[in-house]
Structures are given as C-alpha cells and as structure tokens.
Amino acid sequence: MNLMLYLAVVLIWGTTWIAIFLQQQAADTPVLVAVFWRFLFASLTMLVLLRLLKRLRTLDARDHLFCLLQGGCVFGFNFVCFYHAAAMISTGLESVIFSMAVLYNALNSWIFFRQRPPFRLLPAAALGLGGIVALFWQDIQSARVAPQLLWGVGLSALGTLGFSFGNMISTRHQRRQRDVLTTNSYAMLYGALIMAVLALVNGDALAPALNLQWLGAMSYLALFGSVLGFGAYFTLVGRIGASQAAYSTLLFPLVALTLSTLYEGYQWHSNAIVGLVMILAGNMVMFVRWPAHRRLRLA
C-alpha cells in the first residue's frame, strides 16, 4: 500500500508542472487568482463527495484553526512563492530547492514531535540531493548570481518551508485521529479563501479565464494534483512519517524529464544519467528494511 501511495504521489505531482505551465501560457491570470480557483474547485469537489458518501467528519474549533493554518501553509502561500519563483529561475533549479523538503521535514519532525530521524536518512538524502544537482547541473552552471536569482532561490526555499509546515500540521491531525480527507478538504477551502481575500486586497479580479486550455489545466491541477495527489501524500505522511514521505519530492524531476524527453526533445547528458542512478540508489537506501540490530538513531 505504501509503495502504491508513493508512486501515485510521484507520478501525479511530477506531471503538474506541465499543467501549471499550460495554465500560465493560456492566460495572463494573476497568481493569487490561479491558486484560488485551483483549491476552490478541489475543496468543493472533496466536500461534496465526502458528504454524499457520508464520510465528512466533524471537527472542533481547534481542528478548524489548524486546518486554516494548514491551508495557508500548503494550499496557498507556498504555491504563490513557487509560481513567482518560476518566473525568476529555471524549473530545474527550483526542483533542486524543493527537494530540501526531505531535510525540512526531518528537522521539523524532530523539533515539533521529537521524532529522531533514522540514520539512513542522511545518506539517502545526500544521494537524492546530489542526484538532483547532477540532473540539473547545466541549469545551475548557467545561472547568474543576480538579484533575480537570489529572489527566486529565496522564494523557492520559503515555499518549501511552508510545504513542510503543512506536513507537520497534517501529522498533528492524524495523531489525533482526524480523518485526512476531511482535514484536507477544509484546509484547501481555507487556503482558497485566503487567496481570494489577498487577491481582492491586491485589486485582482477573481473571474477565471474562460478558455479551454486554462480551464482544462486548472481542472487537472485541482482534481489530480490536489484531490488525489495531496490525499495520497498526506495519507503517506500518516503511514510512514513526514520525513520518508517527503523523499518522493526527489523523484518529481524524473517524471518531468521523462515527459520533456517524449514531447519536448530533452537531451540526456552524462550528468543526467549519473543523477538518475544516484536518486534510485537513494530510494533503495531509504526504503530497504534493515535488520533490527543494524538500525541506528541520531543522538
């Protein structure tokens, strides 16, 4: 089951980059508005389905407060950061920075829940991050040290931190046996409402772009990227922990590169092959079950 959830997250979220690109290409919609419609559609779909299936659970006021915080962290502000960063740095470099979610989650789990990371996280993360750097080494080499680059790196790092905080809140929900689909639905709704308020304050019109490409990309991002992707991911967080679940972020660029090879003529260089091997090795280190007497914990 864990493997199926892991693969679902990688495949779904690995394809959302193209959908985001297509949505931005279809219309010059403000970022706040684009994020608003994505999560409004996703949250309403989830809430209606859960109500029809009689699976919508009751949450108390404190739970709703944490759903509000979760919505702002992982269904709102982090996407604003990533959308803006994509205009400043290459998506390859952005993927490198987003891969830091592995380390953010390990450290935040230690800080908030006193979960000491397994020793194998260090070599696994080192192999995975090294593999991502190798995959995008040419992008990194071509990047110029300029204010725009620094802003892009900073926004990507901030967005990744928001994603990690959202992981911690989801862990909190599941430790209190709150239904992951219910908390996700309300968090998405609150994230959408936060984006709507900010868009109106910014003077942006909330009307969606009425063309097939924009609506199709938004629907894919909402239904697959948000409803299915986040549902699978946060279920995985509850089953194996935020640190190990976040390791799936190291595989997103592989899916994107595969699609780019098929549809955009991406050329595989020697550094890309080295990166692929390192990432697969990191997965093996992270998920192989070691004998009990060899398991070590960080002091």
Side-chain angles (χ1 to χ4, degrees):
M1 182 64 176
N2 290 345
L3 179 60
M4 294 300 294
L5 290 170
Y6 183 82
L7 291 176
V9 171
V10 170
L11 292 174
I12 291 172
W13 282 358
T15 59
T16 55
W17 296 100
I18 288 183
I20 291 173
F21 170 76
L22 291 174
Q23 187 182 27
Q24 291 179 318
Q25 187 184 55
D28 189 19
T29 307
V31 170
L32 292 170
V33 176
V35 176
F36 161 70
W37 279 107
R38 171 180 178 173
F39 289 112
L40 180 67
F41 187 23
S43 62
L44 294 181
T45 300
M46 286 287 293
L47 290 170
V48 169
L49 287 176
L50 290 176
R51 176 68 70 181
L52 291 175
L53 296 173
K54 297 182 179 181
R55 287 201 55 187
L56 187 63
R57 308 304 182 204
T58 301
L59 302 177
D60 60 29
R62 187 176 180 83
D63 292 330
H64 278 286
L65 176 60
F66 275 99
C67 284
L68 176 66
L69 294 174
Q70 183 185 9
C73 288
V74 77
F75 301 125
F77 292 115
N78 66 319
F79 278 97
V80 172
C81 290
F82 288 130
Y83 272 62
H84 283 297
M88 301 177 185
I89 60 176
S90 70
T91 55
L93 186 53
E94 195 172 10
S95 298
V96 174
I97 299 166
F98 186 65
S99 300
M100 290 174 59
V102 176
L103 303 180
Y104 279 146
N105 277 3
L107 293 175
N108 284 332
S109 294
W110 199 348
I111 293 171
F112 291 107
F113 300 109
R114 298 295 184 264
Q115 291 181 345
R116 294 181 178 179
F119 178 78
R120 65 182 182 275
L121 174 67
L122 293 179
L127 283 168
L129 289 172
I132 293 293
V133 171
L135 275 171
F136 295 103
W137 182 245
Q138 291 180 332
D139 289 333
I140 296 173
Q141 280 187 316
S142 64
R144 298 177 180 177
V145 181
Q148 186 175 4
L149 171 65
L150 297 178
W151 272 107
V153 170
L155 285 172
S156 297
L158 186 61
T160 306
L161 181 61
F163 174 80
S164 179
F165 284 151
N167 281 219
M168 299 304 104
I169 297 171
S170 180
T171 300
R172 177 264 176 198
H173 290 322
Q174 297 184 59
R175 283 189 164 204
R176 286 161 178 76
Q177 298 183 333
R178 304 302 187 258
D179 178 61
V180 66
L181 296 179
T182 298
T183 55
N184 271 5
S185 300
Y186 282 116
M188 287 181 188
L189 178 61
Y190 293 144
L193 295 178
I194 292 172
M195 295 297 99
V197 171
L198 292 178
L200 292 174
V201 171
N202 196 46
D204 298 328
L206 293 180
L210 298 179
N211 70 68
L212 187 60
Q213 180 173 316
W214 193 94
L215 293 173
M218 186 275 294
S219 298
Y220 180 83
L221 290 168
L223 297 178
F224 287 87
S226 301
V227 173
L228 295 179
F230 277 106
Y233 180 80
F234 284 126
T235 300
L236 198 61
V237 168
R239 293 175 65 92
I240 66 175
S243 299
Q244 294 190 44
Y247 199 78
S248 60
T249 62
L250 296 177
L251 291 181
F252 298 165
L254 293 181
V255 178
L257 277 177
T258 300
L259 294 174
S260 180
T261 301
L262 294 174
Y263 299 106
E264 299 178 344
Y266 174 80
Q267 299 296 319
W268 285 83
H269 301 282
S270 58
N271 58 287
I273 297 174
V274 171
L276 175 61
V277 172
M278 292 178 68
I279 292 173
L280 293 177
N283 270 271
M284 185 177 295
V285 170
M286 191 66 194
F287 290 104
V288 69
R289 291 196 173 274
W290 302 95
H293 67 279
R294 290 187 180 179
R295 290 178 185 170
L296 300 175
R297 295 284 179 177
L298 294 177

